[in-house]
Amino acid sequence: MVEKVKATKETRPVPGRTSSKTSKVKSEKTRKVRKKRIERDSSSSEYESDFSDSLKLASATPSEPKCTEKDEKALESNQITAPQPKQEAKKEASTTQSDADEEAPQELNILKDTPLSMLWGDAKNDYACRREFVWDDNVFTDSEDVNLDRLASLYVDEPPSRGRRNVRTVQHSQLRQSFLSGATLDPHLMVECAQYADPTVSNDKRPQQPFSVRIHPDVAFVCDLHAHMAMCEIIGYFGGKYDAETNTVFIHAAFPCRSMQIEGDDGSTDVEMDPVSELEVRQLIEKSNLEVVGWYHSHPTFAPDPSIRDIENQAAHQELFQMNSHNHPFVGLIVGTYDSKRTDPVGLFRYFHVKGEKMTGKTKTPPMYFPFELTTITRKYKARAIQAVQAVKPTNELVPQHACLHRLRNEYGASILGCVEQVVRLLEYYRAFPRRTKWSQSWQKTNKGQKLRLSLLHYVEALDIPKDIQTAFVEDIFQYLQSAWQ
């Protein structure tokens, strides 16, 4: 069994604005001050109130629907409405206190509940993602003869797509020259990832990738949706495990984290993980019998190449997770979404890690780190029967929120329910987010809502859903999003 690496509060790097390698003391003081500020403002936060209201509908689990008598009558007359808040249930004269408590949706504390915490901490429902792990060869396979027609265009022999950049990007040689000249490096300077050798080419002289990366099919879908939710950078951790015997990092799930709202910074070029959310998510991953094996964030308006700051944070994490005898790797991911210089609507993913290089003969001089792109394998479910669902055609008419939620939770099979709950939590979490995406805004020759739909239609091909109903699944998500955000 692989030994876990536990970070102490003093040594744990925080992805984002502050380099944990060069400013540990300052970063630690900043975290404490911000934590106190968050706790002080939580009781009067307008954002907390809006967010708690937006989660009331989604908080009812599929096995325990929460409806008042008024809702039941409305459902009988085909007038579907959201469950009534707890305080309104108390006003019913014929309802006892215990009945009201039972009928009321579970209320959340945004300082204690991350977007996915209820999914992974919910003991009442047996989600497949909590028992069917991506490293289980009885459930998943790497064989190309399973669902090859659906996934070949996505994950097999796919050449790296970089797109154009609207910020300056340099190559390793340019970065090396700048370092040796003593120039101060801009933390927002983008660095192009170098490529490892192609294992199918015998005479490729480039270095070999040092470890393999295998990913759960739900991960790309959730990360793509999360990155499209906001016009500022988002951030999260990966939960999984490292198998030293096969030298493979298994990424089992994405755990979105809250980001800090910093005065004077709109978050379009930087992101800093909320230290409270970071602690919650790390504990949640551990309680889920997983390990922290990576992190991800988005570049909303430019290419997904790592910046100098991204490289520093990646290096800090790698150093932390390499302190044990198993040399634990750590994977980074950047998702590009609304780059105006790209024409492809599909979210662009770049998995990477960094390698240190001594630039001078002095032993005390810290190494210079350079990013390398990682080739990944998204595992596939082995063939199994899935309940059919009637196809849903795109429509301009607003479908009731309750109807979409019912279909998502009941029509696509038990194996996809964990992904559904992740999606629902994200949509409700960002409903009251200050910098949420405005779907009607233009992007290229369409709008951002249509771009999201097309991007999800690409990544849904890896999910455990038959090909003939994948469009219906995405359409239900998009209709739920439109209804919930109205």
Side-chain angles (χ1 to χ4, degrees):
M1 187 174 182
V2 179
E3 181 182 353
K4 294 184 178 180
V5 182
K6 296 184 178 179
T8 63
K9 187 175 181 181
E10 289 74 16
T11 61
R12 181 179 67 249
V14 179
R17 175 179 302 277
T18 305
S19 171
S20 56
K21 183 177 179 181
T22 58
S23 307
K24 291 182 179 179
V25 176
K26 182 178 179 180
S27 178
E28 184 65 28
K29 291 181 179 178
T30 304
R31 292 192 200 111
K32 292 180 179 179
V33 172
R34 284 174 178 152
K35 182 176 180 181
K36 291 180 180 179
R37 184 180 65 192
I38 293 171
E39 294 172 347
R40 182 183 68 246
D41 295 341
S42 62
S43 60
S44 59
S45 173
E46 226 175 80
Y47 175 53
E48 175 181 359
S49 176
D50 293 340
F51 175 55
S52 297
D53 290 341
S54 70
L55 275 171
K56 288 184 181 296
L57 175 59
S59 60
T61 62
S63 60
E64 294 183 314
K66 309 288 186 176
C67 294
T68 63
E69 294 178 1
K70 181 179 179 181
D71 295 324
E72 292 174 355
K73 293 179 180 179
L75 288 170
E76 291 175 0
S77 61
N78 294 326
Q79 296 177 353
I80 302 176
T81 60
Q84 297 298 310
K86 184 174 180 179
Q87 57 268 28
E88 292 185 12
K90 290 181 180 179
K91 296 179 181 180
E92 298 290 339
S94 60
T95 305
T96 63
Q97 179 65 39
S98 59
D99 291 337
D101 292 339
E102 183 178 355
E103 292 177 357
Q106 179 185 359
E107 294 186 7
L108 304 177
N109 183 337
I110 65 167
L111 292 179
K112 294 183 179 180
D113 289 281
T114 60
L116 302 187
S117 62
M118 289 194 301
L119 166 65
W120 292 93
D122 182 6
K124 296 180 181 179
N125 292 281
D126 184 25
Y127 296 109
C129 59
R130 297 192 312 202
R131 51 182 168 77
E132 296 179 348
F133 294 102
V134 67
W135 50 83
D136 187 350
D137 291 333
N138 294 319
V139 180
F140 298 94
T141 179
D142 290 336
S143 176
E144 295 183 3
D145 60 355
V146 178
N147 297 328
L148 179 60
D149 58 329
R150 294 199 296 130
L151 297 174
S153 62
L154 275 177
Y155 302 110
V156 179
D157 298 330
E158 181 182 83
S161 174
R162 298 196 173 277
R164 298 173 59 190
R165 302 166 178 81
N166 56 5
V167 293
R168 186 188 174 203
T169 300
V170 300
Q171 296 181 337
H172 286 199
S173 58
Q174 296 170 291
L175 182 62
R176 188 177 290 106
Q177 183 178 0
S178 297
F179 183 86
L180 292 174
S181 66
T184 302
L185 298 177
D186 181 355
H188 297 120
L189 179 67
M190 314 291 287
V191 183
E192 185 174 320
C193 290
Q195 305 293 309
Y196 281 115
D198 185 345
T200 63
V201 179
S202 59
N203 60 348
D204 196 328
K205 302 301 182 181
R206 293 175 297 180
Q208 298 291 327
Q209 184 167 310
F211 56 88
S212 300
V213 182
R214 284 170 167 76
I215 304 171
H216 192 285
D218 294 357
V219 169
F221 192 85
V222 172
C223 288
D224 186 58
L225 177 67
H226 188 195
H228 278 88
M229 289 290 97
M231 292 310 299
C232 59
E233 293 191 8
I234 55 86
I235 194 168
Y237 273 131
F238 286 136
K241 83 166 186 177
Y242 171 65
D243 184 7
E245 184 176 349
T246 61
N247 192 26
T248 303
V249 175
F250 289 95
I251 299 178
H252 183 66
F255 288 79
C257 298
R258 295 189 303 274
S259 57
M260 293 288 293
Q261 295 185 25
I262 302 173
E263 185 177 356
D265 183 5
D266 62 3
S268 60
T269 58
D270 290 289
V271 62
E272 182 175 355
M273 189 179 293
D274 184 319
V276 180
S277 179
E278 181 203 4
L279 180 60
E280 293 168 355
V281 170
R282 290 174 69 93
Q283 292 175 343
L284 186 61
I285 291 174
E286 184 176 347
K287 290 180 181 178
S288 303
N289 298 317
L290 302 172
E291 304 171 17
V292 179
V293 294
W295 71 298
Y296 70 95
H297 71 288
S298 67
H299 284 180
T301 58
F302 45 93
D305 290 324
S307 66
I308 295 296
R309 179 166 289 143
D310 295 335
I311 293 172
E312 290 175 350
N313 281 286
Q314 178 66 24
H317 274 90
Q318 289 181 195
E319 289 180 0
L320 173 65
F321 285 88
Q322 288 174 350
M323 288 191 300
N324 67 342
S325 58
H326 295 292
N327 195 29
H328 195 318
F330 195 86
V331 177
L333 167 65
I334 304 176
V335 184
T337 51
Y338 300 109
D339 186 352
S340 61
K341 294 187 177 181
R342 292 189 68 231
T343 57
D344 188 349
V346 178
L348 183 57
F349 281 47
R350 182 149 299 128
Y351 292 91
F352 76 103
H353 80 143
V354 297
K355 295 177 67 175
E357 179 181 326
K358 281 287 187 181
M359 304 300 296
T360 65
K362 299 179 181 179
T363 57
K364 294 185 178 181
T365 303
M368 183 69 189
Y369 289 93
F370 298 91
F372 285 77
E373 187 163 2
L374 295 171
T375 299
T376 63
I377 298 175
T378 296
R379 304 206 78 186
K380 315 165 187 64
Y381 283 97
K382 290 186 174 180
R384 53 186 176 183
I386 300 177
Q387 181 182 356
V389 61
Q390 183 179 358
V392 176
K393 296 181 180 180
T395 176
N396 293 326
E397 298 180 3
L398 197 61
V399 179
Q401 185 178 355
H402 232 55
C404 295
L405 188 60
H406 175 80
R407 287 176 57 82
L408 287 170
R409 284 174 165 170
N410 295 279
E411 300 291 342
Y412 295 96
S415 64
I416 199 65
L417 189 56
C419 181
V420 168
E421 293 305 312
Q422 289 177 312
V423 167
V424 170
R425 300 303 170 195
L426 280 172
L427 297 184
E428 294 298 337
Y429 181 83
Y430 281 94
R431 177 181 178 180
F433 193 71
R435 294 211 65 209
R436 73 177 191 182
T437 302
K438 297 179 181 179
W439 306 115
S440 61
Q441 285 184 342
S442 62
W443 185 85
Q444 299 297 14
K445 296 182 180 180
T446 181
N447 58 44
K448 292 178 179 177
Q450 180 65 8
K451 181 196 180 301
L452 171 63
R453 179 190 270 126
L454 295 174
S455 188
L456 294 180
L457 284 173
H458 178 85
Y459 288 107
V460 74
E461 295 187 29
L463 300 187
D464 194 20
I465 302 176
K467 187 175 182 178
D468 59 343
I469 61 174
Q470 290 173 356
T471 301
F473 180 72
V474 172
E475 190 59 31
D476 275 332
I477 291 175
F478 195 74
Q479 289 291 336
Y480 180 81
L481 168 62
Q482 288 184 309
S483 299
W485 282 26
Q486 282 292 330

